[in-house]
Amino acid sequence: MSSIIVLLTLVISCLAKTVTYDFDIGWVLASPDGYTRPVIGINGQWPIPTIEANEGDTIVVNAKNSLGNETTSLHFHGMSQQGTGPSDGPVGVTQCSIPPGSSFTYQFTATPAGTHWYHSHDHAQYPDGLRGQMIIHDPIWEASLGVDQQIHFSISDWYHNQMPGLLHTYLSPNNPTGELPSPDSFLVNDSSTAPTLNFLPGKKYLLRIVSVSALACGSIQFQGHQMIVVGIDGVEVYPETTDAITICAGQRYNVVIVGQSNPSNSFSYLVKMSTTMLTTIPSNMKTEVQGTISYTIDNILKPLISSSFSNSTLSDSTTLDDMTLKPLDNQLLLNPVGQSIDLYVNQTYYPGIGSRISLGSQPWVEPKVPSLYTALSTGESASDPAVYGPGVSPYVLSSGSIVQVVLTNPEAHPHPMHMHGHEFQVIARGSGTWDGNTNSLPIIPMKRDVVLVPANGYFVLRFRANNPGVWFFHCHIDWHLAAGMAATFIEAPDQLQKLESIPLQGASICTSQGYAASGNCAGVTTTSDITSNANCNTIFNTNTDGYVNALSPYVS
Ligand SMILES: *[C@@H]1O[C@H](CO)[C@@H](O)[C@H](O)[C@H]1NC(C)=O
Ligand SMILES: *[C@@H]1O[C@H](CO)[C@@H](O)[C@H](O)[C@H]1NC(C)=O
Ligand SMILES: *[C@@H]1O[C@H](CO)[C@@H](O)[C@H](O)[C@H]1NC(C)=O
Ligand SMILES: *[C@@H]1O[C@H](CO)[C@@H](O)[C@H](O)[C@H]1NC(C)=O
């Protein structure tokens, strides 16, 4: 048996191929929920293409910015980007933005397998449409599931207004409580009409579901069918059966659903937006989308069962708790901890500026020089957090150490937190603050790359610093990221400098916009230091400058 697997692995790795996408990013009109608006499409189309490859393939994405009036970038959410940090995509972290008329080529290995997505990582731009699905297949695992068909779809909230205007209002001094803009509707696969799932009796389906939301979580429930969860984010897990799942911004679920063996009718499925994050819920907001699992038997389409399913309410007891999932690789609790980082969600109103959120000492503000380029150009100083500028909330991680991140969230709202470059273990989560007790930690903790920190609660993550790079850690509510809710992990900069260099194309899109492509900020603590050091990363400051920094993302 094991020799067959070795053989299969060999065959598959020999078949590793290069998958190339030419993406021309531009404005198109779309009406996913009946309201027509400009959205950001690719090659004249929206929804944008799905990226699909096998684990181990090389993916090349040639991205051309044809928007004319906005900068952009692409991030491939879920990819570990080992040795290919400059292709990770977040602006200010691993690259400068791609200005209108310019191009940037992303190249990386497709790993880990899983249901992923790709999206703009430039100034809260992706909710204007620049987000798509990305499926990385693990053929051996898929064969082991014995599924007859794979089906993939996204869920998301949707706004009728464009992000720049909404962002301006959200970040402005007139919004002291940081009230979030309410979405107008909820979409399944970029439509308010959910796709019909055509099932055959007794067949097995692998559903790959990704939330590409800007803000809201969504729950999914299938009438007359249970879900067997087999994967979350890029992590394959031991099967667990549930009636309902909740998927928050950036999260993915792989679930197996078995068609009923002798169905006498078709069934509904329900996708509901969670509105707990919203202060005001507009009366015309559409929070629910209903789809159909349709059975056709002997050429006869079975009628939909009539029931009050559409009004079913989800209780916590029927919704899966992701903490109970166990990864198939059986990775043991990482121990002992070499470095512990305490972060705290701090939403503060800065008079004259607006509401901002920090995780570390101050809200994240986009630096002039991408932090990765600073790490690659400052020699031994790269392991001094000060060279990155205080505005990026920098934490330097030493090579190979086990890093623990304790995040405390005193707010009345949960946050989906995402780390680039890693799937972390979630070793504890709860309400209040962590008591630091390590006696009852799971032996094999749950792992993923986006995890919810509860309202008035905490989580504790662990990962090994084995992926040299500069990795963003941030809230995946795109509004909160724009408000600064992020920190920067500079992982093993000494190793990183041996592995990577600043790409020519990356340097050129920095300099073409008047930014240096390398920089050292040691000793810079005030705004005037920044002004006098053109190479230096920026800081968040409480003058109008900070407001302007966070609000001037677009080329005028
Ligand atoms: C850019 O152009 C598009 C298409 O005309 C428009 O809908 C959008 O509002 C513009 N964006 C900005 C920031 O002006
Ligand atoms: C969802 O949309 C993608 C393309 O955007 C498509 O490939 C996929 O088949 C759709 N899923 C369903 C269930 O229709
Ligand atoms: C379900 O809810 C809708 C609106 O939310 C309402 O119009 C309908 O009467 C309800 N149906 C049942 C069976 O309760
Ligand atoms: C939150 O940030 C503000 C502004 O920097 C600071 O004054 C305050 O002490 C912080 N609160 C906590 C609990 O750290």
Side-chain angles (χ1 to χ4, degrees):
M1 184 64 194
S2 67
S3 59
I4 292 175
I5 288 175
V6 169
L7 193 68
L8 269 176
T9 312
L10 275 176
V11 168
I12 285 162
S13 58
C14 291
L15 295 176
K17 56 188 185 301
T18 297
V19 186
T20 304
Y21 293 90
D22 293 318
F23 284 172
D24 192 3
I25 300 167
W27 292 100
V28 294
L29 291 175
S31 10
D33 62 353
Y35 177 88
T36 304
R37 52 154 289 179
V39 301
I40 301 178
I42 287 180
N43 302 336
Q45 293 192 328
W46 193 91
I48 60 177
T50 299
I51 293 178
E52 202 162 359
N54 283 342
E55 188 171 14
D57 288 349
T58 297
I59 295 180
V60 178
V61 175
N62 299 307
K64 177 169 196 287
N65 179 0
S66 296
L67 291 169
N69 59 0
E70 292 186 16
T71 62
T72 194
S73 86
L74 292 177
H75 166 58
F76 305 88
H77 185 130
M79 295 296 93
S80 58
Q81 297 286 4
Q82 189 118 28
T84 52
S87 287
D88 194 41
V91 170
V93 185
T94 67
Q95 68 166 93
C96 291
S97 60
I98 311 170
S102 289
S103 298
F104 188 80
T105 295
Y106 299 89
Q107 179 165 343
F108 53 92
T109 303
T111 191
T115 300
H116 305 296
W117 60 307
Y118 67 101
H119 60 83
S120 164
H121 218 305
D122 189 13
H123 299 103
Q125 183 182 57
Y126 80 74
D128 277 337
L130 192 47
R131 72 281 189 292
Q133 299 168 60
M134 181 166 73
I135 314 291
I136 306 300
H137 292 282
D138 172 350
I140 295 174
W141 176 71
E142 289 163 20
S144 78
L145 295 173
V147 290
D148 297 287
Q149 198 193 327
Q150 300 191 27
I151 295 170
H152 60 94
F153 60 86
S154 64
I155 63 168
S156 73
D157 47 21
W158 186 248
Y159 291 88
H160 290 169
N161 293 319
Q162 294 181 23
M163 291 301 283
L166 292 173
L167 203 57
H168 195 278
T169 308
Y170 166 66
L171 291 172
S172 92
N174 303 326
N175 183 19
T177 57
E179 187 176 332
L180 293 163
S182 298
D184 294 287
S185 57
F186 210 71
L187 307 179
V188 178
N189 226 25
D190 289 324
S191 169
S192 55
T193 310
T196 297
L197 309 178
N198 294 304
F199 276 23
L200 291 172
K203 298 284 184 194
K204 273 177 124 177
Y205 299 89
L206 175 62
L207 270 59
R208 298 169 169 277
I209 312 167
V210 48
S211 167
V212 301
S213 267
L215 155 67
C217 302
S219 61
I220 305 190
Q221 207 179 3
F222 294 85
Q223 185 183 30
H225 298 75
Q226 286 194 305
M227 285 173 267
I228 307 161
V229 176
V230 292
I232 45 169
D233 304 346
V235 179
E236 294 159 0
V237 300
Y238 286 95
E240 199 163 318
T241 301
T242 182
D243 290 323
I245 50 175
T246 296
I247 315 183
C248 298
Q251 293 187 316
R252 294 87 74 203
Y253 279 82
N254 289 338
V255 305
V256 171
I257 298 187
V258 183
Q260 288 197 0
S261 53
N262 192 18
S264 49
N265 47 264
S266 295
F267 296 87
S268 293
Y269 69 94
L270 188 63
V271 182
K272 274 187 179 179
M273 168 162 83
S274 157
T275 53
T276 52
M277 295 295 295
L278 303 174
T279 325
T280 42
I281 299 171
S283 56
N284 55 353
M285 185 167 83
K286 298 191 192 100
T287 58
E288 229 177 86
V289 183
Q290 200 165 335
T292 304
I293 294 179
S294 105
Y295 282 100
T296 305
I297 301 164
D298 298 333
N299 286 323
I300 297 165
L301 175 65
K302 296 285 174 182
L304 207 57
I305 191 173
S306 61
S307 84
S308 58
F309 181 70
S310 64
N311 293 20
S312 65
T313 46
L314 295 171
S315 68
D316 286 348
S317 62
T318 51
T319 302
L320 179 86
D321 172 7
D322 60 352
M323 285 298 276
T324 61
L325 297 169
K326 199 169 110 175
L328 269 192
D329 69 5
N330 293 313
Q331 189 190 49
L332 296 173
L333 175 74
L334 291 166
N335 224 8
V337 172
Q339 243 174 311
S340 194
I341 296 169
D342 286 321
L343 300 173
Y344 181 87
V345 181
N346 181 350
Q347 177 166 319
T348 299
Y349 174 66
Y350 296 88
I353 296 174
S355 181
R356 298 291 184 274
I357 310 173
S358 62
L359 290 178
S361 59
Q362 50 175 283
W364 184 85
V365 182
E366 185 187 310
K368 286 184 187 172
V369 179
S371 301
L372 174 64
Y373 293 3
T374 302
L376 290 172
S377 63
T378 50
E380 285 183 6
S381 307
S383 51
D384 175 7
V387 304
Y388 300 91
V392 305
S393 215
Y395 295 86
V396 175
L397 315 178
S398 49
S399 179
S401 74
I402 291 170
V403 182
Q404 174 170 285
V405 177
V406 183
L407 179 73
T408 308
N409 173 33
E411 296 196 312
H413 307 294
H415 297 274
M417 301 301 301
H418 173 45
M419 191 187 303
H420 292 218
H422 286 279
E423 276 141 352
F424 42 73
Q425 294 185 334
V426 188
I427 67 154
R429 180 167 67 182
S431 53
T433 54
W434 191 43
D435 60 10
N437 183 351
T438 54
N439 292 330
S440 53
L441 298 179
I443 297 163
I444 299 174
M446 181 269 275
K447 271 199 295 192
R448 63 187 316 169
D449 66 35
V450 183
V451 69
L452 210 63
V453 63
N456 302 303
Y458 67 87
F459 64 49
V460 185
L461 315 178
R462 282 188 192 172
F463 62 97
R464 190 185 294 278
N466 58 5
N467 188 9
V470 175
W471 307 121
F472 216 13
F473 178 65
H474 63 90
C475 179
H476 224 300
I477 293 174
D478 226 19
W479 307 107
H480 288 167
L481 174 54
M485 191 170 172
T488 309
F489 294 151
I490 297 112
E491 182 168 335
D494 48 340
Q495 300 300 311
L496 177 65
Q497 289 171 358
K498 294 176 202 153
L499 284 172
E500 291 174 9
S501 51
I502 298 169
L504 281 176
Q505 205 187 14
S508 105
I509 57 174
C510 292
T511 51
S512 73
Q513 295 174 91
Y515 299 131
S518 60
N520 181 335
C521 279
V524 171
T525 51
T526 68
T527 318
S528 54
D529 292 339
I530 298 271
T531 316
S532 63
N533 182 349
N535 283 352
C536 188
N537 294 352
T538 194
I539 56 170
F540 181 81
N541 63 80
T542 47
N543 301 319
T544 36
D545 202 17
Y547 181 57
V548 171
N549 277 339
L551 275 181
S552 51
Y554 305 100
V555 178
S556 50

